[in-house]
Amino acid sequence: MLVEKGEGYGIITLNRPKALNALNLQVLTDVTAAAAQLDADPEVSAIIITGADRAFAAGADIKEMQSLDFATAYKADWFAGWTRLSEVRVPIIAAVNGFALGGGCELAMMCDILVASTKAKFGQPEINLGVLPGMGGSQRLTRAIGKAKAMDLCLTGRMIGAEEAERSGLVARVVEHEQLLDEAKEIAATIASKSQIASAMVKEAIDVAFETTLEQGLRYERRLFHASLATNDQSEGMAAFVEKREPGFTHT
Ligand code: HXC
């Protein structure tokens, strides 16, 4: 795994190209620790996760899982460590450069904005291995693209390309392969130019939409909106609009 920092954001690159960036325990530990560290860095307002070479991630490491038995997996609550990524409060952008299969697709879906290159391929092929998704595929995919498509992908194990993924609502944008990282960096830099508090609140509010009733979600959003009125960034943002100038957010 590689970690770099840009202007206001961090980039985590999965880097096991010989195994198509398959997600083993080491990758889990490294990625979740790096994301937590970037999240705690006041200079970081967004994180990009991408993959080296021709894969984003071709799934959980099948060679590591091959001899995994029920008792070991259950006692260690195998894959639960990935929930640490969902605790990150700055927005995470998945820049999907190639295969995002099984755990790779699930990792992308743990991110907040999915941008795909024209070479991206998504799928939940666990059915071909005699198992089922174990890092959220049956849940997040269904919420993202609905029952019909989720059943189709999880039961047949077929892969879809970037265009079908965008049409299905799985990804926000598709760009030419060579433009992928620039596009992700531009999104990250745009987010970094806003108030960190407001963007964390946006992420929190949208995530709540998947956890609650509409009435409770609307109240939650309203309360967060009320709270945003207590920030210096709200005073600055609105003053800047009225004074016809760019805001200088201080993240306070
Ligand atoms: C371990 C993997 C891997 C994986 C690829 N490799 N995917 N190793 N775990 N998930 C390795 C291959 O073994 C091979 O290593 C090298 O990467 C290159 O892969 P090839 O298969 O030679 O490449 P290609 O022919 O281009 O095919 C690409 C592919 C194929 C279509 C992506 O690799 C593939 O089908 N991979 C498995 C995808 C998958 O089933 N993912 C879901 C995993 S289960 P060598 O050493 O031979 O060169 C999961 C969730 C589990 O994610 C949760 C429930 C338990």
Side-chain angles (χ1 to χ4, degrees):
M1 185 200 64
L2 305 167
V3 182
E4 301 158 70
K5 265 175 71 176
E7 201 57 36
Y9 57 86
I11 308 178
I12 297 174
T13 305
L14 304 171
N15 192 27
R16 295 183 71 208
K18 284 190 183 140
L20 299 184
N21 301 326
L23 306 168
N24 61 15
L25 272 181
Q26 190 64 50
V27 176
L28 184 163
T29 309
D30 291 352
V31 170
T32 53
Q37 203 173 340
L38 288 168
D39 193 32
D41 183 336
E43 287 174 5
V44 169
S45 296
I47 297 171
I48 297 168
I49 300 182
T50 192
D53 209 14
R54 67 191 179 101
F56 178 74
D61 193 315
I62 299 168
K63 291 164 192 168
E64 186 181 67
M65 279 187 303
Q66 191 179 7
S67 55
L68 187 65
D69 61 79
F70 165 75
T72 310
Y74 185 79
K75 283 199 284 186
D77 203 2
W78 205 263
F79 296 132
W82 282 111
T83 54
R84 287 207 289 278
L85 201 63
S86 314
E87 287 159 14
V88 167
R89 301 188 65 197
V90 298
I92 307 180
I93 299 153
V96 182
N97 53 302
F99 294 114
L101 303 175
C105 186
E106 293 166 308
L107 171 60
M109 291 190 291
M110 285 175 212
C111 301
D112 303 303
I113 301 179
L114 278 73
V115 187
S117 101
T118 43
K119 290 190 180 171
K121 293 252 183 277
F122 298 84
Q124 296 291 158
E126 290 89 346
I127 193 84
N128 299 330
L129 302 169
V131 291
L132 71 157
M135 281 167 53
S138 66
Q139 304 303 302
R140 289 200 178 93
L141 190 65
T142 308
R143 282 165 167 79
I145 67 176
K147 177 177 170 178
K149 283 268 183 192
M151 284 283 188
D152 177 6
L153 296 192
C154 293
L155 287 172
T156 67
R158 81 177 171 95
M159 287 187 225
I160 59 172
E163 240 177 63
E164 187 173 353
E166 188 185 27
R167 215 183 322 127
S168 308
L170 181 59
V171 308
R173 305 183 191 184
V174 179
V175 295
E176 287 304 322
H177 187 69
E178 294 67 28
Q179 298 304 316
L180 179 68
L181 211 53
D182 283 345
E183 186 82 6
K185 286 178 180 173
E186 205 177 303
I187 296 171
T190 301
I191 292 170
S193 73
K194 319 287 183 198
S195 159
Q196 269 179 9
I197 297 177
S199 65
M201 284 179 169
V202 166
K203 173 169 169 164
E204 201 178 333
I206 292 177
D207 281 343
V208 161
F210 292 95
E211 307 285 351
T212 191
T213 64
L214 181 60
E215 192 195 346
Q216 287 169 338
L218 289 170
R219 185 177 301 120
Y220 193 90
E221 179 196 70
R222 224 161 43 237
R223 296 293 175 245
L224 278 180
F225 170 76
H226 298 159
S228 73
L229 300 176
T231 63
N232 290 323
D233 286 345
Q234 175 265 336
S235 309
E236 170 60 11
M238 294 195 182
F241 176 81
V242 172
E243 292 159 19
K244 300 187 188 299
R245 60 173 173 81
E246 287 298 311
F249 294 119
T250 53
H251 312 307
T252 57

